[in-house]
Amino acid sequence: MVVAEEIGIPSWDLYELSIPFTVFGKPQPDLSDHWYDLRLCASGEQAVGDGDFGLALRTPYGLEGLAGADTVIVTSVPDACVEEGEPLPQGLTDALSAAHAGGARMVSLCTGAFALAEAGLLDGRRATAHWMHTAQLAARYPKVTVDDSVLYVDEGDVLTSAGLTAGIDLCLHLVRRDLGAHVANQLARRMVVPAHRPGGQAQFIDLSVPETDDAGLGPVLEWARAHLDRPLTVDDLARRAAMSPRTFYRRLHAVTGTTPLQWLLNQRLARAQGLLESTDLPVEKVGELSGLGTANNLRHHFLKQVGVSPGDYRRSFFSRRPGPALSGGATSSAAG
């Protein structure tokens, strides 16, 4: 396992750093006679941590420790490399390229995908990262086919995962590949996590669109959000904005990066997500109030856009917090 230390690892990313230690670091002799020999390799001063919290993790292994490794795991890279475009250490990308050329299986957790991409190891491949950073990954590395809907991608000798807990999904997948489903399932039970989670990271993406300061669009978009249970059309919204449908399309696309129909669908799905998270309304009522219509239509769009059924989504995210104002109807529990 390797981290880029020179720029600093924020405490948030220590979570990803701990995942490989939890999965691979402790032998499980009752599950398998063979286990992993895990070592932490760091560039720079071989000290990893967050000075703000007085925490440091020291390792005797530098980048030379990657030589001969069967698997190399790159955890999250520093925020400055992702958000500000600060270059990764050249020694790190060179070491990753050399490890792959030597036959190592390359794995990234969360934004570690930026390191693999910088080393050219994701060119022509499908990959993922935390959904908050997939757009940056795709823009910076156009040769990479970025998929923001999945928890992890297995390309054989190169594997990438989405953010945070998705790293557990990928690490358990590696155990399943290496040691079989029984070992992976038993290890998951010991970690008190699902051996396999339904759906992908699409279910965690915020589908709502940021507020716009476009004076012509803002009021009509706010009105549309308040009336999603109505059969709205693009012509209705354009007329309310006092624009032609073509002008409305162009203005909305410029502000949101999406089409009016997709914007409406995203708002309806976001409304349905909110209802599933905060109420026990049956899926038929959720479909009606969100403007998605029948329960079957709700399920169709949920599976296509979110990656799980409404019932699975509710089981994952339901909490009895105050929900949005509803129009009519008693409540009852129902799975989708």
Side-chain angles (χ1 to χ4, degrees):
M1 182 170 62
V2 62
V3 292
E5 185 276 329
E6 289 100 321
I7 308 169
I9 301 295
S11 57
W12 179 265
D13 294 335
L14 291 176
Y15 179 77
E16 275 103 359
L17 185 62
S18 71
I19 290 172
F21 282 107
T22 302
V23 175
F24 306 113
K26 181 181 179 181
Q28 307 286 340
D30 59 322
L31 296 182
S32 176
D33 293 334
H34 305 285
W35 204 251
Y36 301 87
D37 178 18
L38 181 69
R39 63 176 61 175
L40 174 65
C41 302
S43 56
E45 298 297 322
Q46 287 81 54
V48 182
D50 188 328
D52 293 340
F53 291 88
L55 185 151
L57 180 63
R58 297 188 177 276
T59 174
Y61 302 107
L63 293 177
E64 70 281 354
L66 300 185
D70 296 315
T71 300
V72 174
I73 302 174
V74 187
T75 59
S76 297
V77 300
D79 288 344
C81 298
V82 177
E83 302 292 345
E84 302 164 22
E86 187 158 342
L88 283 160
Q90 185 65 44
L92 173 62
T93 53
D94 288 346
L96 294 177
S97 296
H100 183 252
R105 176 174 60 181
M106 309 301 291
V107 178
S108 69
L109 307 185
C110 195
T111 56
F114 283 77
L116 297 188
E118 185 66 25
L121 303 182
L122 299 182
D123 288 357
R125 296 178 184 265
R126 181 167 157 261
T128 193
H130 193 295
W131 63 266
M132 292 179 67
H133 303 298
T134 47
Q136 293 161 302
L137 182 65
R140 196 172 301 171
Y141 304 102
K143 294 181 180 179
V144 182
T145 302
V146 179
D147 187 344
D148 66 0
S149 68
V150 295
L151 294 173
Y152 58 84
V153 174
D154 183 344
E155 287 276 294
D157 60 334
V158 178
L159 301 91
T160 54
S161 81
L164 295 170
T165 303
I168 298 177
D169 296 284
L170 178 52
C171 288
L172 287 174
H173 172 71
L174 291 172
V175 174
R176 191 176 298 110
R177 270 184 48 171
D178 296 341
L179 303 175
H182 174 74
V183 174
N185 292 344
Q186 292 302 310
L187 181 59
R189 291 185 65 188
R190 292 178 183 183
M191 295 172 61
V192 198
V193 296
H196 177 76
R197 286 194 289 169
Q201 66 170 329
Q203 61 191 300
F204 303 100
I205 296 175
D206 183 2
L207 292 172
S208 59
V209 177
E211 300 294 330
T212 173
D213 56 4
D214 188 313
L217 285 179
V220 70
L221 297 186
E222 190 60 36
W223 178 86
R225 291 190 191 98
H227 298 88
L228 290 172
D229 56 331
R230 299 186 182 184
L232 302 176
T233 67
V234 176
D235 286 347
D236 292 334
L237 299 181
R239 188 164 44 250
R240 192 170 187 87
M243 302 176 191
S244 69
R246 184 173 182 179
T247 298
F248 181 79
Y249 181 104
R250 186 175 65 251
R251 293 269 290 274
L252 183 67
H253 191 274
V255 169
T256 68
T258 190
T259 67
L261 286 178
Q262 187 62 50
W263 182 87
L264 269 175
L265 177 60
N266 286 348
Q267 297 307 304
R268 295 190 192 284
L269 286 167
R271 170 73 163 167
Q273 287 176 313
L275 293 171
L276 291 168
E277 292 170 14
S278 60
T279 77
D280 57 0
L281 287 168
V283 291
E284 291 80 5
K285 192 65 176 177
V286 172
E288 175 187 331
L289 292 173
S290 62
L292 290 169
T294 65
N296 283 338
N297 199 45
L298 172 66
R299 292 187 185 100
H300 167 76
H301 286 295
F302 237 76
L303 286 168
K304 183 177 180 180
Q305 300 289 330
V306 184
V308 294
S309 71
D312 282 339
Y313 184 86
R314 172 172 271 161
R315 281 185 283 274
S316 295
F317 295 101
F318 177 74
S319 62
R320 293 189 179 278
R321 57 182 173 80
L326 306 177
S327 56
T331 62
S332 62
S333 297

